[in-house]
CSV table of all heavy atoms in Angstrom, one decimal:
chain,number,residue,atom,x,y,z
A,130,GLU,N,9.0,14.5,13.2
A,130,GLU,CA,9.6,14.4,14.5
A,130,GLU,C,9.2,13.3,15.4
A,130,GLU,O,8.1,12.8,15.1
A,130,GLU,CB,9.6,15.7,15.2
A,130,GLU,CG,10.0,16.9,14.5
A,130,GLU,CD,9.7,18.3,15.2
A,130,GLU,OE1,9.1,18.2,16.3
A,130,GLU,OE2,10.0,19.3,14.6
A,131,GLY,N,10.1,12.9,16.3
A,131,GLY,CA,9.7,12.0,17.2
A,131,GLY,C,9.9,12.5,18.7
A,131,GLY,O,10.6,13.4,18.9
A,132,ARG,N,9.0,12.0,19.6
A,132,ARG,CA,9.0,12.5,21.0
A,132,ARG,C,9.6,11.3,21.8
A,132,ARG,O,9.2,10.3,21.7
A,132,ARG,CB,7.7,12.9,21.5
A,132,ARG,CG,7.3,14.2,21.0
A,132,ARG,CD,6.0,14.6,21.6
A,132,ARG,NE,4.9,13.6,21.2
A,132,ARG,CZ,3.7,13.7,21.3
A,132,ARG,NH1,3.3,14.9,21.9
A,132,ARG,NH2,2.8,12.7,21.0
A,133,VAL,N,10.6,11.7,22.8
A,133,VAL,CA,11.1,10.7,23.7
A,133,VAL,C,10.1,10.7,24.9
A,133,VAL,O,9.9,11.8,25.4
A,133,VAL,CB,12.6,11.1,24.0
A,133,VAL,CG1,13.0,10.1,25.2
A,133,VAL,CG2,13.4,11.1,22.8
A,134,LEU,N,9.7,9.5,25.2
A,134,LEU,CA,8.9,9.3,26.4
A,134,LEU,C,9.7,8.8,27.5
A,134,LEU,O,10.9,8.6,27.3
A,134,LEU,CB,7.8,8.4,26.0
A,134,LEU,CG,6.9,8.6,24.8
A,134,LEU,CD1,6.0,7.5,24.5
A,134,LEU,CD2,6.1,10.0,25.0
A,135,ASP,N,9.1,8.7,28.7
A,135,ASP,CA,9.8,8.2,29.9
A,135,ASP,C,10.2,6.7,29.6
A,135,ASP,O,11.3,6.3,30.1
A,135,ASP,CB,9.0,8.4,31.2
A,135,ASP,CG,7.8,7.6,31.1
A,135,ASP,OD1,7.3,7.2,29.9
A,135,ASP,OD2,7.0,7.4,32.2
A,136,ARG,N,9.5,6.0,28.9
A,136,ARG,CA,9.8,4.6,28.6
A,136,ARG,C,9.5,4.2,27.2
A,136,ARG,O,9.2,3.2,26.8
A,136,ARG,CB,9.0,3.6,29.5
A,136,ARG,CG,9.2,3.8,31.0
A,136,ARG,CD,8.5,2.8,31.7
A,136,ARG,NE,7.1,3.1,31.5
A,136,ARG,CZ,6.0,2.3,31.9
A,136,ARG,NH1,6.3,1.0,32.3
A,136,ARG,NH2,4.8,2.5,31.6
A,137,GLY,N,9.9,5.1,26.3
A,137,GLY,CA,9.7,4.8,24.8
A,137,GLY,C,9.9,5.9,24.0
A,137,GLY,O,10.3,7.1,24.3
A,138,LEU,N,9.6,5.8,22.7
A,138,LEU,CA,9.8,6.7,21.6
A,138,LEU,C,8.4,6.8,20.8
A,138,LEU,O,7.8,5.8,20.6
A,138,LEU,CB,10.9,6.3,20.8
A,138,LEU,CG,11.2,7.1,19.5
A,138,LEU,CD1,11.6,8.6,19.8
A,138,LEU,CD2,12.3,6.5,18.7
A,139,TYR,N,7.9,8.0,20.5
A,139,TYR,CA,6.6,8.3,19.9
A,139,TYR,C,6.7,9.1,18.7
A,139,TYR,O,7.3,10.1,18.8
A,139,TYR,CB,5.6,8.8,20.9
A,139,TYR,CG,4.3,9.0,20.3
A,139,TYR,CD1,3.5,7.9,19.9
A,139,TYR,CD2,3.7,10.3,20.0
A,139,TYR,CE1,2.2,8.0,19.4
A,139,TYR,CE2,2.5,10.4,19.5
A,139,TYR,CZ,1.7,9.3,19.2
A,139,TYR,OH,0.5,9.5,18.5
A,140,LEU,N,6.2,8.6,17.6
A,140,LEU,CA,6.1,9.3,16.3
A,140,LEU,C,4.6,9.5,16.0
A,140,LEU,O,3.9,8.6,15.6
A,140,LEU,CB,6.8,8.4,15.2
A,140,LEU,CG,8.3,8.1,15.4
A,140,LEU,CD1,8.6,7.0,14.4
A,140,LEU,CD2,9.1,9.2,15.4
A,141,PRO,N,4.2,10.8,16.1
A,141,PRO,CA,2.8,11.0,15.9
A,141,PRO,C,2.5,10.9,14.4
A,141,PRO,O,3.1,11.6,13.6
A,141,PRO,CB,2.6,12.5,16.4
A,141,PRO,CG,3.9,13.0,16.4
A,141,PRO,CD,4.9,11.9,16.5
A,142,VAL,N,1.4,10.3,14.1
A,142,VAL,CA,1.0,10.0,12.6
A,142,VAL,C,-0.3,10.9,12.4
A,142,VAL,O,-0.4,11.5,11.4
A,142,VAL,CB,0.9,8.6,12.3
A,142,VAL,CG1,0.4,8.4,10.8
A,142,VAL,CG2,2.2,7.8,12.4
A,143,LEU,N,-1.2,10.7,13.2
A,143,LEU,CA,-2.5,11.4,13.1
A,143,LEU,C,-2.8,12.2,14.3
A,143,LEU,O,-2.6,11.8,15.4
A,143,LEU,CB,-3.7,10.4,12.8
A,143,LEU,CG,-3.5,9.3,11.8
A,143,LEU,CD1,-4.6,8.3,11.9
A,143,LEU,CD2,-3.6,10.2,10.4
A,144,VAL,N,-3.1,13.6,14.1
A,144,VAL,CA,-3.4,14.4,15.2
A,144,VAL,C,-4.6,15.2,14.8
A,144,VAL,O,-4.7,15.7,13.5
A,144,VAL,CB,-2.2,15.3,15.5
A,144,VAL,CG1,-2.6,16.4,16.7
A,144,VAL,CG2,-1.1,14.6,16.0
A,145,ASP,N,-5.6,15.4,15.6
A,145,ASP,CA,-6.9,16.1,15.2
A,145,ASP,C,-6.5,17.5,14.9
A,145,ASP,O,-5.8,18.3,15.7
A,145,ASP,CB,-7.7,16.1,16.5
A,145,ASP,CG,-8.9,16.9,16.4
A,145,ASP,OD1,-9.3,17.3,15.2
A,145,ASP,OD2,-9.7,17.3,17.3
A,146,GLU,N,-6.7,18.0,13.7
A,146,GLU,CA,-6.3,19.3,13.3
A,146,GLU,C,-7.0,20.4,13.8
A,146,GLU,O,-6.6,21.5,13.8
A,146,GLU,CB,-6.5,19.3,11.7
A,146,GLU,CG,-5.6,18.4,10.9
A,146,GLU,CD,-5.8,18.5,9.5
A,146,GLU,OE1,-6.6,19.4,9.0
A,146,GLU,OE2,-5.2,17.8,8.8
A,147,TRP,N,-8.3,20.1,14.3
A,147,TRP,CA,-8.9,21.4,14.9
A,147,TRP,C,-8.5,21.9,16.2
A,147,TRP,O,-8.4,22.9,16.5
A,147,TRP,CB,-10.5,21.0,15.0
A,147,TRP,CG,-10.9,20.7,13.6
A,147,TRP,CD1,-11.1,19.5,12.9
A,147,TRP,CD2,-11.4,21.7,12.5
A,147,TRP,NE1,-11.7,19.8,11.7
A,147,TRP,CE2,-11.8,21.2,11.4
A,147,TRP,CE3,-11.5,23.2,12.7
A,147,TRP,CZ2,-12.2,21.8,10.4
A,147,TRP,CZ3,-11.9,23.9,11.6
A,147,TRP,CH2,-12.3,23.2,10.4
A,148,ARG,N,-8.4,20.8,17.2
A,148,ARG,CA,-8.1,21.1,18.6
A,148,ARG,C,-6.9,20.4,19.0
A,148,ARG,O,-6.4,20.7,20.1
A,148,ARG,CB,-9.2,20.9,19.5
A,148,ARG,CG,-10.4,21.7,19.2
A,148,ARG,CD,-11.6,21.4,20.0
A,148,ARG,NE,-12.0,20.0,20.0
A,148,ARG,CZ,-12.9,19.5,20.7
A,148,ARG,NH1,-13.7,20.3,21.5
A,148,ARG,NH2,-13.2,18.3,20.7
A,149,ALA,N,-6.2,19.6,18.3
A,149,ALA,CA,-5.1,18.7,18.7
A,149,ALA,C,-5.3,18.0,20.0
A,149,ALA,O,-4.4,17.9,20.8
A,149,ALA,CB,-3.9,19.6,18.7
Side-chain angles (χ1 to χ4, degrees):
E130 298 177 3
R132 289 187 291 197
V133 177
L134 307 172
D135 59 345
R136 296 181 299 163
L138 175 65
Y139 179 68
L140 304 167
V142 175
L143 304 170
V144 176
D145 179 13
E146 292 181 5
W147 294 99
R148 300 182 299 184

